[in-house]
Amino acid sequence: MRLAGKKVIAFVDEEFEDLELWYPIYRIQEEGAEVHLVGQEKGKKYIGKYGVPAEAQFSYEEIDGENYDGILVPGGWAPDKLRRYPKVLTLISEFHEQKKVIGQICHAGWVLISAKILNGVTVTSTPGIRDDMENAGAIWKDEPVVVDGHIISARRPPDLPPYGKALVDALAKK
């Protein structure tokens, strides 16, 4: 239980990529961490692209980043919504400043772009947002998982096994 006592935020909004939310959550929970689903509305059931629901346990405004060790941002179309909430961007920025673990997969890079934290950071994402990542100053690699300090990134669902391992390893080091 390498992550016993650790707490992680998992952002959720409509049309998240089901596997990209749940697989990392389960991997982190298997190692003993507590994961909180956080959305715009506490108690709302957000529906993933393939119909799997995720109920927000907390709203963004209820969360104090000081109480958490990491953030997970799933892909799908949810990141296009998540990046519109100032509190989401504030939390991402604060975690970046404090070098806390930030996990992002697929289209989740959009949230990090909007938080303006990617300049000079080496990352991956779905190839569809490569230009967006590079235009934000990131160094983009077409690799299953890229670890640049506290930022862990992956491309898509087939990359979930190495992404889950990289997330757990990063959280265990903090």
Side-chain angles (χ1 to χ4, degrees):
M1 301 302 264
R2 294 189 294 156
L3 303 183
K6 304 275 185 179
K7 289 174 60 178
V8 177
I9 294 167
F11 286 139
V12 65
D13 208 308
E14 298 297 343
E15 297 188 75
F16 60 87
E17 209 303 333
D18 305 60
L19 287 172
E20 294 171 359
L21 176 70
W22 291 109
Y23 187 100
I25 286 174
Y26 292 147
R27 266 306 281 122
I28 290 167
Q29 287 175 331
E30 285 171 352
E31 292 282 351
E34 186 177 342
V35 181
H36 292 156
L37 289 168
V38 181
Q40 176 67 10
E41 264 183 74
K42 177 182 182 174
K44 179 177 178 175
K45 280 189 182 170
Y46 295 91
I47 306 300
K49 285 173 50 178
Y50 303 106
V52 178
E55 185 173 333
Q57 298 162 290
F58 298 94
S59 71
Y60 304 129
E61 299 306 321
E62 292 177 289
I63 295 298
D64 180 352
E66 292 298 318
N67 299 325
Y68 291 88
D69 303 288
I71 290 180
L72 298 176
V73 187
W77 300 120
D80 189 40
K81 298 167 185 69
L82 292 168
R83 69 188 196 170
R84 300 173 196 200
Y85 300 118
K87 180 67 179 203
V88 167
L89 301 181
T90 298
L91 285 165
I92 293 288
S93 295
E94 288 172 355
F95 274 54
H96 182 60
E97 288 168 15
Q98 297 169 22
K99 306 289 187 236
K100 291 183 178 183
V101 174
I102 300 171
Q104 66 99 24
I105 184 168
C106 200
H107 286 84
W110 280 337
V111 178
L112 282 64
I113 289 167
S114 293
K116 299 182 180 11
I117 66 165
L118 289 181
N119 193 35
V121 177
T122 302
V123 294
T124 194
S125 66
T126 179
I129 67 166
R130 175 184 181 167
D131 290 347
D132 300 333
M133 302 289 270
E134 290 178 336
N135 288 335
I139 301 155
W140 190 87
K141 303 268 187 193
D142 187 12
E143 297 175 7
V145 175
V146 173
V147 177
D148 188 345
H150 61 286
I151 297 177
I152 318 301
S153 57
R155 297 175 302 191
R156 49 183 132 356
D159 303 326
L160 283 165
Y163 176 61
K165 181 182 181 329
L167 284 170
V168 168
D169 289 348
L171 286 162
K173 289 179 187 173
K174 295 288 176 186

